[in-house]
Amino acid sequence: MELVILAVVIAVVVLGALGGLIVGSRRKKQLPPPPPAAPDITAPPAEPHVGDEAETPREEPRRTIEEVDLPDGSAPVVVEEPPAEAPEIEIPEPTAGRLVRLRTRLSRSQNALGKGLLTLLSREHLDEDTWEEIEDTLLTADVGVQPTQELVERLRERVKVLGTRTPEELRTLLREELLTLVGRDMDRAVKTEPEDRKPGIVMVVGVNGTGKTTTTGKLARVLVADGQSVVLGAADTFRAAAADQLQTWGERVGAHTVRGPEAGDPASVAFDAVKEGKEMGANVVLIDTAGRLHTKTGLMDELGKVKRVVEKHAPVDEVLLVLDATTGQNGLVQARVFSEVVDITGIVLTKLDGTAKGGIVVAVQRELGVPVKLIGLGEGADDLAPFEPEAFVDALIGE
């Protein structure tokens, strides 16, 4: 019995010691920091409403609607716009001798016509085959059948009389015969200064695609370069932006442009252009008419109407037909139809720099009986030149 009591006492002592050790070890461990105290949350300032200041509203004196001065509406608010910059006025180069300066542009026609003929005529023996080649060269250059036969016949006679042919003699001979063919005595001045009145009236006609509107703009530059004041009539109301294009050309040289609504009556625009030209005291009124297919009778009749309406002011001094030199014989068909509707007084040949058909100058003059007055030799603004027979022939046969 005593032993049992002793064992129980020992067990209690041992358990107590173990409990003390465990508690001591736990106290040695570092306790985690206490959680932070919850922050004091204050309500954010109220968001300012539209028109409120960002700061706290302050009491301010308020006015009633009767005390507020309101506009009476008598003076509208005017918003000043910056003034549009006026386009810079260009000074075109003089037209005198312009074709001489542009003679290199005829290089394709020169190779086909002038140099080709000189090469053939320089052969030691001019047999029938050679003369046929000369004819083919002239026909290929669009000189035309009748003018070709006349030129070959005269060349045959003169070469036979000449006998021995030096290069210089051949060049002189060919130059004289081509000048005769082109016509050196025709009046090629553009009629813009009638003696009894102002302004001179010039109509520009032609089919679509010949460069008619561009030619009208370039002609304005030619006239301004010669010291004349110009009014442009944008009577091509059917082609989109034709009036804008013509006005741009006019602004470059200070020429006033009269235009009407798109798809409007072209005769009305032409009539107004002449009227304004008179009022402004202009020297020349240039009227750009709508391009037309020469096979459309209705359109061609309307062109005649434009001319008749304009002549209620004064007679038309010049009707220039614009032809594309690259179209060759088709251009002659166009010329024939136009001449039946309006009296053509002069020809403008465009794109002559891009074709070997320089002989079209001869053919179209023979077809219509009117002179070529202007030729276009490039895309530049001053590449429209008054036609000068001597300079043209010299460019064809070379130096």
Side-chain angles (χ1 to χ4, degrees):
M1 189 62 178
E2 296 176 355
L3 291 173
V4 174
I5 293 170
L6 181 62
V8 172
V9 172
I10 293 171
V12 172
V13 173
V14 171
L15 289 173
L18 289 174
L21 290 173
I22 293 171
V23 172
S25 62
R26 284 182 179 177
R27 287 179 178 175
K28 290 179 180 179
K29 292 181 180 179
Q30 186 174 0
L31 295 176
D40 294 333
I41 299 177
T42 58
E47 292 289 334
H49 298 290
V50 176
D52 290 343
E53 298 291 341
E55 64 183 9
T56 304
R58 293 174 294 178
E59 287 294 333
E60 294 182 355
R62 298 176 180 272
R63 293 182 295 172
T64 64
I65 190 169
E66 291 79 5
E67 298 173 330
V68 178
D69 295 329
L70 298 176
D72 58 5
S74 59
V77 178
V78 178
V79 179
E80 293 186 2
E81 298 182 358
E85 293 185 6
E88 184 178 351
I89 303 299
E90 300 177 11
I91 302 176
E93 63 178 82
T95 59
R98 183 179 289 185
L99 182 55
V100 175
R101 297 193 295 274
L102 297 173
R103 61 189 300 173
T104 56
R105 306 284 179 87
L106 289 168
S107 58
R108 291 187 65 181
S109 293
Q110 180 191 66
N111 292 332
L113 184 56
K115 289 186 176 180
L117 290 177
L118 282 175
T119 300
L120 291 170
L121 290 171
S122 298
R123 290 182 180 177
E124 185 175 353
H125 300 289
L126 296 179
D127 53 16
E128 288 300 318
D129 291 338
T130 302
W131 287 111
E132 286 184 7
E133 287 185 54
I134 292 173
E135 284 190 8
D136 290 342
T137 299
L138 292 167
L139 292 173
T140 303
D142 269 344
V143 172
V145 176
Q146 186 65 31
T148 292
Q149 293 174 347
E150 293 175 9
L151 179 59
V152 170
E153 184 177 346
R154 290 200 301 268
L155 286 173
R156 276 178 178 264
E157 292 178 0
R158 295 194 62 178
V159 167
K160 185 176 181 180
V161 171
L162 188 62
T164 305
R165 306 177 304 280
T166 66
E168 189 58 37
E169 288 173 331
L170 284 176
R171 188 181 303 276
T172 301
L173 181 152
L174 185 58
R175 183 180 187 275
E176 291 175 357
E177 292 300 332
L178 286 176
L179 274 175
T180 300
L181 202 61
V182 170
R184 67 176 84 193
D185 298 327
M186 302 181 79
D187 182 7
R188 302 181 187 276
V190 179
K191 301 295 188 299
T192 57
E193 298 181 270
E195 296 180 357
D196 56 340
R197 59 180 168 81
K198 286 175 64 175
I201 304 172
V202 179
M203 282 181 61
V204 184
V205 303
V207 301
N208 290 313
T210 57
K212 178 178 51 57
T213 300
T214 299
T215 298
T216 306
K218 289 182 178 181
L219 178 56
R221 294 180 66 89
V222 169
L223 296 174
V224 170
D226 291 340
Q228 301 191 58
S229 57
V230 178
V231 169
L232 296 171
D236 184 354
T237 59
F238 298 120
R239 185 171 66 86
D244 292 336
Q245 181 184 358
L246 188 64
Q247 184 169 353
T248 300
W249 278 102
E251 288 174 347
R252 291 177 180 175
V253 292
H256 176 62
T257 302
V258 177
R259 52 189 297 177
E262 187 173 341
D265 181 16
S268 175
V269 176
F271 183 87
D272 291 342
V274 178
K275 179 181 177 182
E276 291 195 29
K278 282 184 173 181
E279 294 172 351
M280 296 173 63
N283 298 112
V284 188
V285 175
L286 286 180
I287 301 172
D288 176 36
T289 61
R292 4 207 124 227
L293 297 174
H294 57 285
T295 56
K296 299 294 184 182
T297 305
L299 290 175
M300 296 302 292
D301 290 344
E302 188 178 67
L303 181 62
K305 173 191 171 184
V306 173
K307 185 172 184 288
R308 291 192 301 273
V309 168
V310 168
E311 288 182 331
K312 291 181 179 180
H313 281 296
V316 174
D317 300 288
E318 191 86 68
V319 179
L320 297 176
L321 173 63
V322 180
L323 292 177
D324 183 343
T326 63
T327 59
Q329 295 299 313
N330 187 44
L332 298 183
V333 177
Q334 299 170 14
R336 192 179 305 117
V337 176
F338 272 92
S339 65
E340 294 171 358
V341 179
V342 288
D343 295 326
I344 304 298
T345 59
I347 305 295
V348 182
L349 279 176
T350 63
K351 308 177 187 179
L352 198 58
D353 58 314
T355 179
K357 301 179 182 295
I360 190 67
V361 171
V362 176
V364 72
Q365 289 184 156
R366 286 291 186 95
E367 179 68 29
L368 297 182
V370 296
V372 171
K373 295 192 172 185
L374 299 157
I375 59 175
L377 293 169
E379 299 296 329
D382 293 320
D383 289 344
L384 184 71
F387 185 78
E388 303 169 25
E390 291 81 2
F392 179 73
V393 171
D394 289 342
L396 287 183
I397 62 177
E399 298 297 338

